[in-house]
Amino acid sequence: MARNIHTGMRRFLARRGMRALHCACSRRKKCDRKWSKQTKISMTERPAISPTRQEDFPEWYQQVIAAADLAENSEVRGCMIIKPWGYAIWERMQRELDRRIKAAGHRNAYFPLFIPLSFLEKEAEHVEGFAKECAVVTHHRLEATEGRLVPGAPLAEPLVVRPTSETIIGAAFARWIQSYRDLPLRINQWANVVRWELRPRLFLRTSEFLWQEGHTAHQTAAEAEAEALRMLRLYEGFLREMLALPAIAGEKTPGERFPGAVRTLTLEALVQDRKAIQAGTSHFLGQNFARANGITFLSPEGMREHVWTTSWGVSTRLVGTLIMAHSDDNGLVLPPRVAPCQIVLLPLIRREEERTAIEEACARLAAELAERSYAGEPLRVEIDARPSAGGAKNWEWVKKGVPLRVEIGPREVAAGTLSIGRRDRPPRERLSQSVRQFVAEVEGILTQMQEGYWDRAVAFQKSHTRRIASREEFLEFFTPRDAERPEIHGGFAEIPWSGDAALEEKIREEQKVTIRCIPLDQEPAPGTCPFSGKPGKYRVLFGKAY
RNA sequence: CGGAGUGUAGCUCAGUCUGGUCAGAGCGCUUGCUUUGGGAGCAAGAAGUCGCAGGUUCGAAUCCUGCCACUCCGACCA
């Protein structure tokens, strides 16, 4: 109970983008003293986000979102409001992915939000996979009755709000494709989808989310399989280069497959609480949807054949993944390439007579920086000229994860220097550089930061991936020392696997860990499965999953 | 759907056991003054049908009944 008071207080503070220096509850001083005593951290050294990652990771995650002003829960349960800063991050991802997908030969189109119920019924596994989480529209009119609005006219056939669009796109493909000359067909759509979630979490699991879904049709199985793999690799490159996020490319086991897929490929990332999260997925659908939707073509030999299809997607879940992968106890950390703003200029104006000189210096610097580019795009620079106290403003940008904060006050103007705060350094640390030097080096600094985050993430993944040979070691790996309050533990456990589905299910039930994937890049001759004693066909990665 | 809990100001909460100077605090917001290389200080002010509907009572945030909403923990999931 006492903990709840603090949790609420922290959420409140963070949401308001305020300093976390004091408790906001009605017993502020007592709470503050208690916290300081418990943690042995003085109030001035207190990190911006509480609890810290170590103290309570899920709560920390929520607090980062609130402190960085990324999103909030809406009145509709399970649905989030993505706020401007959070949406700008998604737009950065979208823009770059869209570019890459188009370069890979796909064209954008848009299909309806509503799918006739009968469409969903066409593919048996697909029905089973999605039926439980579908939102259904049953009426098309509201009628005012005694001052209340009630659904009026029932639909002849209920409409399902798309949980994914294979079926309705398949129906269109059936019309569009007649000949082998129409293949391959490569379509992508940016859309929202709805999967009715019982336990929502911002960005990670919401009832409505935004994504991109690609759908392709091919003449041969081999070509479609190659396409599914190609798009997985495209995602992999995007994650590496833009998000500084290493992910293991692999295949899902039959039990974890997309409903209706023949093969499901995945990118599995490890975030700071050592849980795995799927960061992208690509499916080889075989002829399942082609048969269900009657997508056929005439081959060069004049034979009518079913096409082979793929589908693949990434969602706003990537924003959550990004947060959990890189952020720290002072808030969000954004790799420069996805940061909506890379450099924020903070004028420090104390006396009115200093104003003009400082504002001019800021404007000059902003103009100079705007002419420079990083990673092939003009630098994204913002001047924060709001008339509030310097310290508070500075912390706000720390929490928002902006890579570089540049302070310009009378001293800097006089000396022709800048005070630069880097998000990959402690929040109070400042580097003093001449304007000229900074402008010349800024691209290098951003490159260094981007690479630094990548290196750190790779090292993290490596140090928490363990090859495990015995059952005992496996259990030890996934068992916290403190059962009451489990500490951060586990990671990826790599073991030889014989491919036994029943065993996989048993481990899932007993240990709450699952096979995240069968890594694509692995050497042969993996050894003996520690559970069955049988020779392993390949190595698999086990992990706790989001 | 099972288990636990919570609804009081914009936010976080106190007050409920024991009905009556009980409409409260902190933060935020507004205004004024002070401060100014750092997540400011002081003062004043605006702000609530105490989740909703009944009931008990001279009197209900507080007791009773019903309803509603939300949160957390479990089964499904990008």
Side-chain angles (χ1 to χ4, degrees):
Chain A
M1 196 60 201
R3 212 183 130 266
N4 276 339
I5 294 169
H6 277 274
T7 301
M9 170 274 283
R10 283 161 181 157
R11 181 177 299 150
F12 159 73
L13 276 178
R15 192 181 302 145
R16 305 299 296 198
M18 280 306 301
R19 64 192 189 288
L21 276 179
H22 300 294
C23 183
C25 75
S26 55
R27 288 172 186 168
R28 165 178 158 172
K29 282 185 180 139
K30 263 189 195 167
C31 284
D32 285 349
R33 241 179 285 137
K34 197 172 157 198
W35 185 88
S36 211
K37 206 172 161 184
Q38 276 177 357
T39 58
K40 299 190 176 70
I41 296 173
S42 78
M43 296 310 264
T44 51
E45 288 166 18
R46 192 170 184 173
I49 305 297
S50 67
T52 61
R53 286 163 293 178
Q54 284 299 324
E55 286 167 353
D56 184 347
F57 194 86
E59 184 58 27
W60 165 85
Y61 173 77
Q62 309 256 81
Q63 295 307 321
V64 171
I65 289 173
D69 213 22
L70 298 176
E72 61 189 32
N73 279 311
S74 77
E75 291 81 353
V76 184
R77 184 188 152 80
C79 295
M80 63 178 162
I81 295 169
I82 307 177
K83 301 180 79 173
W85 188 245
Y87 197 74
I89 294 169
W90 174 240
E91 282 181 308
R92 289 285 317 146
M93 295 182 183
Q94 230 182 350
R95 188 190 153 110
E96 179 62 21
L97 262 172
D98 193 58
R99 191 184 69 70
R100 292 180 188 221
I101 290 168
K102 281 175 181 155
H106 306 78
R107 288 180 301 163
N108 283 345
Y110 187 79
F111 295 84
L113 170 68
F114 300 123
I115 298 178
L117 192 55
S118 58
F119 278 32
L120 223 63
E121 289 168 343
K122 286 181 187 170
E123 214 288 329
E125 278 186 41
H126 202 61
V127 181
E128 217 177 297
F130 285 107
K132 276 178 283 183
E133 46 193 72
C134 282
V136 187
V137 179
T138 54
H139 291 73
H140 71 90
R141 188 195 296 153
L142 287 173
E143 283 164 4
T145 313
E146 292 165 16
R148 313 214 60 176
L149 288 172
V150 293
L155 295 174
E157 181 183 355
L159 296 169
V160 173
V161 182
R162 63 177 163 223
T164 178
S165 305
E166 272 75 8
T167 57
I168 199 156
I169 291 180
F173 276 18
R175 289 192 303 275
W176 297 353
I177 296 166
Q178 304 290 331
S179 149
Y180 72 95
R181 293 180 218 273
D182 297 324
L183 297 173
L185 180 58
R186 294 190 170 97
I187 295 292
N188 178 57
Q189 107 162 326
W190 289 95
N192 58 339
V193 285
V194 168
R195 297 180 189 176
W196 211 255
E197 285 297 339
L198 303 176
R199 303 229 15 219
R201 286 187 71 187
L202 290 174
F203 291 114
L204 298 178
R205 217 187 291 114
T206 48
S207 292
E208 181 191 15
F209 57 94
L210 308 182
W211 77 351
Q212 149 281 312
E213 52 178 320
H215 297 267
T216 68
H218 306 263
Q219 223 179 120
T220 65
E223 194 186 308
E225 284 205 72
E227 179 79 353
L229 180 61
R230 184 169 77 111
M231 298 318 286
L232 190 81
R233 294 299 188 188
L234 182 146
Y235 289 149
E236 191 180 25
F238 166 81
L239 296 176
R240 178 176 62 240
E241 290 157 25
M242 297 298 290
L243 309 189
L245 192 71
I248 307 290
E251 180 166 353
K252 287 290 188 189
T253 58
E256 301 271 331
R257 253 181 223 149
F258 175 78
V262 174
R263 295 181 65 187
T264 287
L265 303 175
T266 178
L267 288 160
E268 295 289 324
L270 199 65
V271 290
Q272 291 182 75
D273 61 351
R274 300 191 215 163
K275 280 190 181 175
I277 183 163
Q278 183 167 303
T281 180
S282 181
H283 316 289
F284 168 56
L285 304 172
Q287 291 176 310
N288 292 347
F289 286 89
R291 274 194 289 267
N293 290 288
I295 315 173
T296 59
F297 68 100
L298 284 178
S299 71
E301 295 78 30
M303 303 288 285
R304 180 164 298 277
E305 294 176 28
H306 284 108
V307 299
W308 301 80
T309 63
T310 77
S311 70
W312 27 273
V314 299
S315 71
T316 37
R317 194 181 215 200
L318 277 185
V319 178
T321 307
L322 183 74
I323 296 166
M324 293 195 292
H326 295 303
S327 299
D328 62 21
D329 295 337
N330 288 312
L332 188 64
V333 170
L334 290 171
R337 292 197 66 180
V338 270
C341 164
Q342 293 158 325
I343 308 164
V344 63
L345 306 186
L346 299 160
L348 288 170
I349 301 166
R350 286 172 305 158
R351 279 181 268 279
E352 273 310 303
E353 56 266 34
E354 298 164 351
R355 175 175 295 277
T356 315
I358 293 171
E359 282 178 349
E360 279 176 8
C362 279
R364 248 196 327 273
L365 178 61
E368 267 190 84
L369 289 171
E371 282 175 23
R372 309 211 48 107
S373 64
Y374 163 67
E377 288 180 290
L379 287 179
R380 295 182 287 276
V381 184
E382 210 171 293
I383 301 176
D384 184 357
R386 290 173 303 162
S388 62
K393 242 167 36 173
N394 190 60
W395 274 100
E396 219 176 281
W397 291 106
V398 171
K399 287 182 285 194
K400 279 178 173 289
V402 168
L404 296 173
R405 307 180 306 280
V406 178
E407 295 169 330
I408 306 178
R411 273 184 221 163
E412 284 78 13
V413 171
T417 61
L418 302 167
S419 286
I420 298 140
R422 285 172 58 146
R423 190 59 183 83
D424 60 350
R425 305 291 309 160
R428 288 170 205 278
E429 186 181 296
R430 296 291 187 279
L431 171 74
S432 185
Q433 269 195 335
S434 73
V435 175
R436 189 196 295 179
Q437 196 184 3
F438 177 67
V439 172
E441 286 180 12
V442 65
E443 190 180 346
I445 296 173
L446 292 173
T447 304
Q448 191 191 32
M449 291 178 79
Q450 182 83 26
E451 285 172 0
Y453 293 139
W454 166 258
D455 291 343
R456 191 175 66 178
V458 168
F460 180 87
Q461 191 196 69
K462 223 175 223 174
S463 67
H464 298 299
T465 301
R466 202 197 291 175
R467 288 199 165 186
I468 286 176
S470 76
R471 190 195 178 93
E472 293 67 36
E473 199 189 343
F474 186 90
L475 296 185
E476 184 267 318
F477 189 63
F478 287 117
T479 307
R481 284 200 195 83
D482 185 350
E484 290 294 308
R485 285 199 49 200
E487 75 282 358
I488 291 174
H489 66 282
F492 280 141
E494 197 183 327
I495 69 167
W497 186 250
S498 61
D500 184 335
L503 181 57
E504 181 184 350
E505 175 61 19
K506 186 165 169 265
I507 294 172
R508 189 181 74 85
E509 272 177 23
E510 287 173 6
Q511 302 300 314
K512 305 287 175 208
V513 297
T514 47
I515 297 180
R516 300 321 307 148
C517 70
I518 307 156
L520 296 179
D521 309 303
Q522 59 173 290
E523 64 268 38
T528 310
C529 167
F531 289 94
S532 65
K534 290 184 224 163
K537 290 185 194 160
Y538 35 65
R539 287 177 187 281
V540 299
L541 286 183
F542 267 95
K544 292 211 159 91
Y546 268 98

